[in-house]
Every structure is written in C-alpha cells, then in structure tokens.
Amino acid sequence: MVYTKKDTIRVMIITKDHRIEGDMYVLEGSRLTDSLNAKGKDFYAITDARIFNLADGALLAAPEFVAVARDAITAIFPVDEGAPPSV
C-alpha cells in the first residue's frame, strides 16, 4: 500500500446552517486553495471536528470525523491556532 504524506491545516468552514471547525488534510507542501481546486473531490474529510449552529453558535456535535460536501461550503479558511477561541 502506498501512503501519501499530508499536512494538516486547521480550518473553519461555513455552510448555510453550520460552522464547522476541524483539521483538513492537504498534500504535503500544498496550500488549502490547491486542495479546494481539485475538481475530483466531492467531499472534504475533516477530523477532530466541532459543528456549531450558525444562527446561535450552539455546539451541535464534536465528531472525530465528518465529510463535508463541496457544494455545501459557502466559505472556508485556515484558522490561526493562536487565535482566541470561537464564540
């Protein structure tokens, strides 16, 4: 079995109804935008996730893994590990 080395990027994903925070894996040395531009991906794997209700900020779930549909994403961006916690 062949393994590809990957880097971890902490991201925040905004969908119509949710804010998802977690770790996204990208090919070693690549950027978040490189992974997003890969047209062959319909879902993005997010680990150590926290899913919040966008309307009131309530924590809905904290799964170890969630697959987020590409078409559901309104915005995605890297989160600074040293930033203050989300509200």
Side-chain angles (χ1 to χ4, degrees):
M1 182 175 266
V2 177
Y3 291 99
T4 304
K5 291 186 178 183
K6 296 192 175 187
D7 292 330
T8 305
I9 299 175
R10 189 80 181 166
V11 296
M12 182 180 296
I13 299 170
I14 306 298
T15 69
K16 179 179 156 259
D17 298 314
H18 302 98
R19 182 180 86 235
I20 303 166
E21 298 175 7
D23 295 326
M24 183 172 172
Y25 296 87
V26 298
L27 291 176
E28 185 177 43
S30 67
R31 303 167 298 176
L32 176 59
T33 54
D34 296 333
S35 183
L36 297 174
N37 286 328
K39 300 296 182 199
K41 283 190 160 185
D42 292 329
F43 291 87
Y44 296 106
I46 306 298
T47 59
D48 296 322
R50 293 184 300 157
I51 303 171
F52 299 90
N53 183 315
L54 194 57
D56 64 10
L59 178 64
L60 301 174
E64 289 184 29
F65 169 82
V66 64
V68 180
R70 172 191 202 99
D71 292 341
I73 297 172
T74 303
I76 182 172
F77 51 92
V79 176
D80 181 8
E81 293 288 342
S86 303
V87 177

